[in-house]
Amino acid sequence: MVLANPTGTWSAADGAALYGIDRWGDPYFSVSDRGHVIVQPRGDRGGSLDLVELVGELQGRNLSLPLLIRFDDILEDRLERLHAAFERAIAQYAYRGRYQGVFPVKCNQQRHVVEQLVESGRRWHFGLEAGSKAELLIALSLLDDPEALLICNGYKDRRYIETAILARRLGRQPVVVIEQADEVERIIAASNELGAAPFIGIRAKLSTRSTGRWGSSVGEGAKFGLSIPDLLATVEALRAAGLLADLRLLHFHIGSQINDIAVLKDALQEAGQLYAELTRLGAPMGFLDVGGGLGIDYDGSRTATAASTNYSLQNYANDVVATVRECCEPHGVTMPTLVSESGRAIASHFSVLVFNVLGASRPPITAPEPGEQEPLIVRNLRDTFAGVSGHEPLPPERLQEAWNDALKFRDDALAAFRLGYMSLPERAMAEQLTSSCSATIARRLEDLPAGTPVPVELERLRASQAGTYYANLSVFRSAPDTWAIDQLFPVLPLHRLDEQPTRLGTLADLTCDSDGKLARFIDRGHSKALLELHELQAEQPYWIGLFLGGAYQEVMGNLHNLFGSTNAVHIRLTAGGRYSVDHVVRGDTNAEVLQAMEHDPLALLERLRVASEAAITRGDLAIRDARRLMDHLEGSLRQTTYLQG
Ligand SMILES: *Cc1c(COP(=O)(O)O)cnc(C)c1O
């Protein structure tokens, strides 16, 4: 459908405001006067790249879309901001302790990402958090800073615990966090056997209830953490085993994407008191780990809604520092080193998923040519269409009347068809004319003077005119949380932002699954079902970016319909406004996704070769065509699973 442009002027700033980029994008993403999305990978510290030019040049390097562009400078800037926020808070509240964060590996386990974080985080002794044996292996191997913490969460068997104990001799600092009541027995047994203990942490099950999607991560029903009686029993068990001197850390995690800062404050107070109690019970302690949950403002609305947060990074740091101080000071307890496991907050911004639109469905605006001797019902529809297609202005009442007529005639046509009085081509004609009426009426609504009241039914008609844009992407692979948990990410065209979008639409992906679509979009504290998009231009690419998806999406993505990973690149800003392509990670080929399902690509090919030989022998297939077929099949095995531009 066509959107109104009451003033007739539209600038890149309007485009930026429409998609909210000036709210959620700050300081990394903005719009240039040319209407292109601009990336400032170092935030406020200067330097920018035109994302459209960048994508063009990456395509020139044979990196086809969909493409995941990772800006390592952004990753570094996020780390910098997190530490700066805690440093400011520590200074402001005269906190007598440090901040020392860790990155939860589960948020993005990609090698280049973890390596970059370890490298960039070295100056703050930034560490890692692991939740499984495979993640522990990554963390132990990559985290070579002896002062950095390695927080070991998740279920732990004897081997996991012994690994953590022995790794201390490599100069690593693993902290084994007791998450289940029975883990303490295994820790005691392993320590006795090895004659050495790990650093020990305890995860508390807080009574504070979080709100939102991850609210059930806390409270009595939580999967992880010790209840208060279990916590006390664990302390006594450690004391009895002579291991209380190794109890160094209290941990809690109240779920991801905390929307409301009030929830965090409650949890911090509870955890702060627990920490003080643990020191009173004789544990040396030293570290308070406030877990993850630091949220991202996906829609820029600054509200306690699902796609937003009602606090800033600085508010978060202030609350952590101030609350822990308030809990410790009156009891004379030494203020702990503060640890956080912020994943989403560190890794969301740095990657941008870029995909192209392959085509769009267009609602009809002209009526099909009349046939000979059309039945009365069809002629009625044709008259209705003619009535709304003229040039004279029509008030909403007349448009409503015409739409009522069109609906009545369409129902008549259906009834006539059911009863055998109307042929299939006649019914098709009736349906086409009905669509032409609805598209034209929707368009006429746009001609009405601004502020004219429009009947609800016609408003609905307007929405029903939305187009479907076909996207070269699998949401199951690249944005699984949009499907699994209705998460919203900012989605917008990378160019033409200086041009008013004239259509509303949804984005359908390549999979054969009706859920494979993007059909909810950010809208300042709410969501909207349709996104403003531009009319496609012949021979011109239309590139869309999905932003803030650097956390969780890659690993949660799956092979639905056998669409594999996309191409990915790591970009670094260099002097003179240029950039370097530091790493290229090729997307899965068709051969690779077939192998993932235990198929042998060469064996599949061989069976088809045999079948084509048989067809040649039968005279059903020319040798030239057989070769063409085999070339296509062989070629596609080496290519990515997406449509080639
Ligand atoms: C998932 C998880 C995190 C990371 O949470 P974010 O919301 O991404 O910061 C931190 N700690 C634990 C224990 C987790 O399970």
Side-chain angles (χ1 to χ4, degrees):
M1 68 163 284
V2 177
L3 297 168
N5 182 0
T7 61
T9 57
W10 185 271
S11 68
D14 295 313
L18 173 66
Y19 298 106
I21 195 167
D22 42 2
R23 295 187 301 274
W24 56 259
D26 187 52
Y28 305 114
F29 307 104
S30 60
V31 176
S32 72
D33 292 343
R34 289 169 69 194
H36 289 184
V37 173
I38 296 292
V39 186
Q40 293 95 227
R42 293 182 187 157
D44 308 327
R45 289 174 294 149
S48 67
L49 295 170
D50 181 315
L51 194 49
V52 180
E53 284 173 14
L54 176 65
V55 171
E57 291 177 12
L58 292 171
Q59 284 204 311
R61 292 170 168 89
N62 203 18
L63 285 159
S64 56
L65 302 183
L67 179 61
L68 199 57
I69 307 180
R70 302 193 183 119
F71 295 97
D72 287 344
D73 293 298
I74 295 187
L75 206 53
E76 196 163 272
D77 194 75
R78 291 301 296 170
L79 269 187
E80 180 115 27
R81 275 166 195 273
L82 179 68
H83 287 90
F86 272 99
E87 277 158 23
R88 261 195 299 273
I90 284 169
Q92 183 181 340
Y93 295 98
Y95 187 83
R96 287 182 300 282
R98 293 177 302 127
Y99 167 75
Q100 204 187 344
V102 297
F103 177 71
V105 173
K106 79 158 190 276
C107 199
N108 192 325
Q109 302 95 337
Q110 295 287 328
R111 169 159 76 97
H112 299 302
V113 176
V114 183
E115 284 178 354
Q116 184 65 52
L117 281 167
V118 170
E119 198 45 50
S120 302
R122 210 174 280 279
R123 60 190 144 132
W124 302 286
H125 304 301
F126 188 70
L128 296 172
E129 184 259 4
S132 65
K133 267 189 229 172
E135 289 184 354
L136 178 64
L137 186 60
I138 294 174
L140 278 177
S141 176
L142 297 187
L143 192 63
D144 55 0
D145 175 353
E147 295 194 38
L149 294 170
L150 199 176
I151 305 289
C152 303
N153 286 330
Y155 292 102
K156 295 165 209 70
D157 59 11
R158 184 74 183 260
R159 200 181 288 268
Y160 185 128
I161 293 164
E162 288 192 11
T163 304
I165 295 174
L166 293 169
R168 282 182 70 174
R169 312 244 174 97
L170 305 180
R172 306 293 198 256
Q173 274 204 84
V175 182
V176 177
V177 178
I178 301 176
E179 308 226 25
Q180 311 288 343
D182 61 351
E183 278 171 8
V184 68
E185 292 310 323
R186 285 197 287 284
I187 289 176
I188 292 168
S191 301
N192 288 341
E193 167 132 355
L194 297 173
F199 294 114
I200 299 172
I202 289 188
R203 177 165 175 170
K205 216 180 250 188
L206 300 186
S207 64
T208 309
R209 287 218 73 85
S210 184
T211 51
R213 173 93 213 348
W214 286 272
S216 57
S217 309
V218 284
E220 261 90 87
K223 190 164 141 189
F224 291 113
L226 302 184
S227 64
I228 301 304
D230 282 345
L231 190 135
L232 277 177
T234 299
V235 168
E236 293 316 318
L238 289 174
R239 193 195 306 279
L243 290 176
L244 194 58
D246 298 294
L247 179 56
R248 307 295 305 277
L249 175 142
L250 175 68
H251 168 56
F252 71 90
H253 173 66
I254 57 169
S256 205
Q257 183 68 12
I258 299 170
N259 309 111
D260 187 353
I261 189 96
V263 172
L264 178 77
K265 285 189 198 182
D266 283 354
L268 281 165
Q269 278 177 342
E270 193 180 349
Q273 297 303 338
L274 276 179
Y275 181 90
E277 292 288 335
L278 284 170
T279 59
R280 213 165 297 144
L281 288 170
M285 302 306 287
F287 297 89
L288 177 56
D289 176 353
V290 300
L294 175 52
I296 290 288
D297 195 357
Y298 292 97
D299 69 5
S301 69
R302 254 315 161 80
T303 54
T305 51
S308 187
T309 57
N310 66 358
Y311 58 90
S312 66
L313 174 55
Q314 189 63 58
N315 297 149
Y316 176 89
N318 288 352
D319 273 1
V320 172
V321 170
T323 314
V324 176
R325 190 195 136 147
E326 279 162 22
C327 294
C328 293
E329 199 155 53
H331 303 293
V333 171
T334 310
M335 293 180 202
T337 296
L338 298 167
V339 181
S340 83
E341 305 174 347
S342 309
R344 185 184 296 274
I346 288 173
S348 289
H349 294 77
F350 88 115
S351 80
V352 179
L353 176 72
V354 179
F355 55 92
N356 53 314
V357 168
L358 301 161
S361 66
R362 312 186 91 266
I365 38 164
T366 52
E369 285 299 309
E372 282 167 30
Q373 298 206 328
E374 290 189 318
L376 180 63
I377 300 173
V378 174
R379 275 183 280 135
N380 284 340
L381 273 166
R382 209 172 273 290
D383 290 344
T384 309
F385 176 66
V388 292
S389 314
H391 288 292
E392 77 286 5
L394 292 176
E397 308 81 64
R398 286 285 304 283
L399 293 171
Q400 171 82 62
E401 196 185 333
W403 182 232
N404 292 344
D405 289 347
L407 286 178
K408 163 84 173 68
F409 298 139
R410 187 204 54 191
D411 290 348
D412 288 350
L414 262 178
F417 178 77
R418 266 200 305 265
L419 296 172
Y421 297 120
M422 189 179 254
S423 69
L424 190 64
E426 287 164 351
R427 177 175 164 192
M429 185 66 86
E431 288 189 12
Q432 266 175 290
L433 282 165
T434 312
S435 305
S436 307
C437 285
S438 68
T440 307
I441 292 169
R443 211 157 283 193
R444 302 293 310 241
L445 292 175
E446 312 306 333
D447 302 336
L448 298 173
T452 311
V454 172
V456 181
E457 225 174 295
L458 293 189
E459 279 296 353
R460 270 195 223 118
L461 183 67
R462 203 197 301 243
S464 75
Q465 294 303 301
T468 302
Y469 282 61
Y470 299 99
N472 192 17
L473 138 117
S474 157
V475 302
F476 301 98
R477 173 78 258 171
S478 296
D481 280 349
T482 63
W483 160 70
I485 57 171
D486 282 335
Q487 178 160 347
L488 299 175
F489 294 102
V491 174
L492 71 153
L494 299 187
H495 41 185
R496 298 176 66 186
L497 296 169
D498 55 347
E499 199 186 303
Q500 187 180 23
T502 52
R503 309 257 328 248
L504 287 174
T506 56
L507 293 155
D509 80 355
L510 291 177
T511 67
C512 305
D513 194 313
S514 55
D515 282 345
K517 60 181 186 230
L518 297 174
R520 274 180 74 240
F521 305 94
I522 60 160
D523 189 17
R524 272 196 194 239
H526 306 279
S527 67
K528 56 188 177 189
L530 299 170
L531 186 66
E532 294 81 357
L533 293 163
H534 299 85
E535 196 79 50
L536 297 183
Q537 292 169 336
E539 309 297 323
Q540 293 296 316
Y542 193 49
W543 291 336
I544 310 277
L546 184 146
F547 292 80
L548 308 185
Y552 301 111
Q553 301 316 293
E554 283 176 74
V555 72
M556 303 292 275
N558 62 53
L559 280 174
H560 195 11
N561 261 158
L562 297 190
F563 288 104
S565 61
T566 67
N567 287 323
V569 288
H570 287 250
I571 300 292
R572 270 282 192 181
L573 206 59
T574 57
R578 295 298 301 162
Y579 62 89
S580 62
V581 182
D582 283 6
H583 309 284
V584 169
V585 186
R586 292 272 168 196
D588 292 333
T589 62
N590 283 306
E592 284 162 344
V593 296
L594 288 168
Q595 278 162 338
M597 296 296 124
E598 309 293 333
H599 293 287
D600 177 347
L602 294 181
L604 295 178
L605 212 53
E606 176 60 11
R607 290 168 70 127
L608 287 165
R609 190 194 63 75
V610 171
S612 79
E613 281 303 326
I616 291 170
T617 308
R618 288 197 309 271
D620 289 344
L621 183 67
I623 290 180
R624 200 192 47 195
D625 290 341
R627 166 160 179 189
R628 202 184 175 98
L629 175 62
M630 294 311 292
D631 280 352
H632 284 324
L633 291 165
E634 278 175 44
S636 68
L637 286 181
R638 290 189 300 271
Q639 285 168 345
T640 76
T641 52
Y642 295 91
L643 297 203
Q644 310 292 308

